[in-house]
Amino acid sequence: VFNCSDTLDYLTMAKFFKGLASSGAWACFDEFNRINLEVLSVVAQQVLEIQIAVKNKVKTFFFEGSEIPLRPTCNSFITMNPGYAGRSELPDNLKALFRTVAMMVPDY
């Protein structure tokens, strides 16, 4: 689990994704919508590139200027707290890459 902040840039995210894709690991990016909107737009393209590589069952692929091995078990998850100050709405092209799950307090 990695707690995101507005100081993250697309290069830092690319390093995360390179590690995930080459190791087959999973990561949860907590409070993902704290990342700046400009960075989220680039992150959408990065996530899409990895998803396409997994879908096409390739052994290696080019990502951010490097050829890296791909372990298809890699995955990314995000959490968000919408409506808080300093939070962004996700761009539509990024929203489309993740499944939505809503959580709520149970009504006992």
Side-chain angles (χ1 to χ4, degrees):
V1 176
F2 182 80
N3 191 16
C4 298
S5 73
D6 57 359
T7 61
L8 280 175
D9 61 12
Y10 75 95
L11 296 172
T12 304
M13 294 302 292
K15 289 179 185 177
F16 269 110
F17 293 135
K18 282 181 181 181
L20 295 176
S22 62
S23 68
W26 292 6
C28 179
F29 295 99
D30 189 31
E31 297 195 41
F32 195 69
N33 56 331
R34 288 179 63 192
I35 301 172
N36 289 328
L37 190 58
E38 299 81 20
V39 175
L40 289 174
S41 294
V42 177
V43 167
Q45 187 60 39
Q46 292 171 337
V47 171
L48 180 61
E49 286 179 35
I50 294 170
Q51 288 183 350
I52 290 171
V54 169
K55 181 181 174 186
N56 291 335
K57 299 179 180 176
V58 299
K59 299 287 184 207
T60 63
F61 72 113
F62 283 94
F63 184 79
E64 295 292 323
S66 303
E67 184 174 13
I68 60 172
L70 177 64
R71 306 256 332 248
T73 56
C74 66
N75 213 336
S76 299
F77 302 91
I78 62 174
T79 66
M80 295 178 21
N81 292 316
Y84 284 78
R87 304 309 197 267
S88 309
E89 277 295 314
L90 292 186
D92 288 339
N93 61 337
L94 186 55
K95 268 188 216 176
L97 301 175
F98 293 94
R99 287 189 186 165
T100 302
V101 177
M103 294 175 31
M104 54 196 291
V105 176
D107 182 14
Y108 294 109

